[in-house]
PDB file of all heavy atoms in Angstrom:
ATOM      1  N   ASP A 147      13.620   4.495 -12.057  1.00 66.00           N
ATOM      2  CA  ASP A 147      13.521   3.817 -13.383  1.00 66.00           C
ATOM      3  C   ASP A 147      13.432   2.301 -13.303  1.00 66.00           C
ATOM      4  O   ASP A 147      13.052   1.631 -14.337  1.00 66.00           O
ATOM      5  CB  ASP A 147      14.653   4.316 -14.291  1.00 66.00           C
ATOM      6  CG  ASP A 147      16.082   3.753 -13.644  1.00 66.00           C
ATOM      7  OD1 ASP A 147      16.105   3.342 -12.464  1.00 66.00           O
ATOM      8  OD2 ASP A 147      17.038   3.808 -14.335  1.00 66.00           O
ATOM      9  N   GLN A 148      13.562   1.708 -12.110  1.00 71.00           N
ATOM     10  CA  GLN A 148      13.420   0.239 -12.020  1.00 71.00           C
ATOM     11  C   GLN A 148      12.178  -0.143 -11.252  1.00 71.00           C
ATOM     12  O   GLN A 148      11.918  -1.367 -11.036  1.00 71.00           O
ATOM     13  CB  GLN A 148      14.716  -0.404 -11.344  1.00 71.00           C
ATOM     14  CG  GLN A 148      15.967  -0.217 -12.165  1.00 71.00           C
ATOM     15  CD  GLN A 148      17.172  -0.782 -11.352  1.00 71.00           C
ATOM     16  OE1 GLN A 148      17.094  -1.505 -10.362  1.00 71.00           O
ATOM     17  NE2 GLN A 148      18.374  -0.394 -11.870  1.00 71.00           N
ATOM     18  N   PHE A 149      11.535   0.865 -10.665  1.00 66.00           N
ATOM     19  CA  PHE A 149      10.359   0.571  -9.748  1.00 66.00           C
ATOM     20  C   PHE A 149       9.251  -0.158 -10.585  1.00 66.00           C
ATOM     21  O   PHE A 149       8.558  -1.032  -9.986  1.00 66.00           O
ATOM     22  CB  PHE A 149       9.900   1.838  -9.134  1.00 66.00           C
ATOM     23  CG  PHE A 149       8.711   1.616  -8.174  1.00 66.00           C
ATOM     24  CD1 PHE A 149       8.989   0.975  -7.025  1.00 66.00           C
ATOM     25  CD2 PHE A 149       7.503   2.056  -8.450  1.00 66.00           C
ATOM     26  CE1 PHE A 149       7.994   0.606  -6.059  1.00 66.00           C
ATOM     27  CE2 PHE A 149       6.427   1.855  -7.486  1.00 66.00           C
ATOM     28  CZ  PHE A 149       6.637   1.197  -6.377  1.00 66.00           C
ATOM     29  N   GLY A 150       9.017   0.181 -11.793  1.00 61.00           N
ATOM     30  CA  GLY A 150       7.959  -0.310 -12.604  1.00 61.00           C
ATOM     31  C   GLY A 150       8.202  -1.858 -12.755  1.00 61.00           C
ATOM     32  O   GLY A 150       7.236  -2.621 -12.725  1.00 61.00           O
ATOM     33  N   MET A 151       9.456  -2.329 -12.966  1.00 68.00           N
ATOM     34  CA  MET A 151       9.782  -3.641 -13.055  1.00 68.00           C
ATOM     35  C   MET A 151       9.491  -4.438 -11.746  1.00 68.00           C
ATOM     36  O   MET A 151       8.962  -5.560 -11.712  1.00 68.00           O
ATOM     37  CB  MET A 151      11.263  -3.869 -13.396  1.00 68.00           C
ATOM     38  CG  MET A 151      11.807  -5.194 -13.453  1.00 68.00           C
ATOM     39  SD  MET A 151      12.331  -5.792 -11.806  1.00 68.00           S
ATOM     40  CE  MET A 151      13.761  -4.698 -11.642  1.00 68.00           C
ATOM     41  N   ALA A 152       9.846  -3.783 -10.588  1.00 72.00           N
ATOM     42  CA  ALA A 152       9.534  -4.354  -9.270  1.00 72.00           C
ATOM     43  C   ALA A 152       8.009  -4.475  -9.080  1.00 72.00           C
ATOM     44  O   ALA A 152       7.629  -5.554  -8.581  1.00 72.00           O
ATOM     45  CB  ALA A 152      10.213  -3.499  -8.172  1.00 72.00           C
ATOM     46  N   VAL A 153       7.321  -3.490  -9.521  1.00 66.00           N
ATOM     47  CA  VAL A 153       5.889  -3.533  -9.376  1.00 66.00           C
ATOM     48  C   VAL A 153       5.251  -4.723 -10.138  1.00 66.00           C
ATOM     49  O   VAL A 153       4.383  -5.470  -9.742  1.00 66.00           O
ATOM     50  CB  VAL A 153       5.202  -2.215  -9.873  1.00 66.00           C
ATOM     51  CG1 VAL A 153       3.730  -2.376 -10.149  1.00 66.00           C
ATOM     52  CG2 VAL A 153       5.516  -1.148  -8.962  1.00 66.00           C
ATOM     53  N   GLY A 154       5.828  -4.928 -11.384  1.00 63.00           N
ATOM     54  CA  GLY A 154       5.336  -6.073 -12.191  1.00 63.00           C
ATOM     55  C   GLY A 154       5.578  -7.367 -11.523  1.00 63.00           C
ATOM     56  O   GLY A 154       4.757  -8.329 -11.562  1.00 63.00           O
ATOM     57  N   ILE A 155       6.777  -7.485 -10.945  1.00 73.00           N
ATOM     58  CA  ILE A 155       7.119  -8.876 -10.243  1.00 73.00           C
ATOM     59  C   ILE A 155       6.252  -8.992  -8.997  1.00 73.00           C
ATOM     60  O   ILE A 155       5.683 -10.068  -8.800  1.00 73.00           O
ATOM     61  CB  ILE A 155       8.567  -8.855  -9.910  1.00 73.00           C
ATOM     62  CG1 ILE A 155       9.445  -8.863 -11.209  1.00 73.00           C
ATOM     63  CG2 ILE A 155       8.843 -10.063  -9.060  1.00 73.00           C
ATOM     64  CD1 ILE A 155      10.955  -8.698 -10.920  1.00 73.00           C
ATOM     65  N   TRP A 156       6.031  -7.865  -8.317  1.00 72.00           N
ATOM     66  CA  TRP A 156       5.149  -7.869  -7.134  1.00 72.00           C
ATOM     67  C   TRP A 156       3.764  -8.415  -7.589  1.00 72.00           C
ATOM     68  O   TRP A 156       3.192  -9.247  -6.900  1.00 72.00           O
ATOM     69  CB  TRP A 156       5.075  -6.486  -6.599  1.00 72.00           C
ATOM     70  CG  TRP A 156       4.367  -6.283  -5.323  1.00 72.00           C
ATOM     71  CD1 TRP A 156       4.896  -6.062  -4.068  1.00 72.00           C
ATOM     72  CD2 TRP A 156       2.951  -6.033  -5.088  1.00 72.00           C
ATOM     73  NE1 TRP A 156       3.936  -5.889  -3.130  1.00 72.00           N
ATOM     74  CE2 TRP A 156       2.753  -5.849  -3.731  1.00 72.00           C
ATOM     75  CE3 TRP A 156       1.842  -6.022  -5.972  1.00 72.00           C
ATOM     76  CZ2 TRP A 156       1.474  -5.636  -3.191  1.00 72.00           C
ATOM     77  CZ3 TRP A 156       0.624  -5.837  -5.409  1.00 72.00           C
ATOM     78  CH2 TRP A 156       0.387  -5.627  -4.109  1.00 72.00           C
ATOM     79  N   GLY A 157       3.172  -7.772  -8.674  1.00 66.00           N
ATOM     80  CA  GLY A 157       1.883  -8.176  -9.133  1.00 66.00           C
ATOM     81  C   GLY A 157       1.870  -9.534  -9.640  1.00 66.00           C
ATOM     82  O   GLY A 157       0.847 -10.319  -9.430  1.00 66.00           O
ATOM     83  N   GLY A 158       2.900 -10.030 -10.227  1.00 66.00           N
ATOM     84  CA  GLY A 158       2.909 -11.442 -10.770  1.00 66.00           C
ATOM     85  C   GLY A 158       2.993 -12.436  -9.609  1.00 66.00           C
ATOM     86  O   GLY A 158       2.167 -13.425  -9.716  1.00 66.00           O
ATOM     87  N   VAL A 159       3.776 -12.137  -8.612  1.00 74.00           N
ATOM     88  CA  VAL A 159       3.774 -13.102  -7.438  1.00 74.00           C
ATOM     89  C   VAL A 159       2.436 -13.164  -6.827  1.00 74.00           C
ATOM     90  O   VAL A 159       1.937 -14.270  -6.396  1.00 74.00           O
ATOM     91  CB  VAL A 159       4.899 -12.652  -6.398  1.00 74.00           C
ATOM     92  CG1 VAL A 159       4.782 -13.465  -5.137  1.00 74.00           C
ATOM     93  CG2 VAL A 159       6.236 -12.867  -7.022  1.00 74.00           C
TER      94      VAL A 159
END
Side-chain angles (χ1 to χ4, degrees):
D147 60 348
Q148 296 178 16
F149 182 67
M151 175 272 295
V153 166
I155 296 174
W156 187 100
V159 169

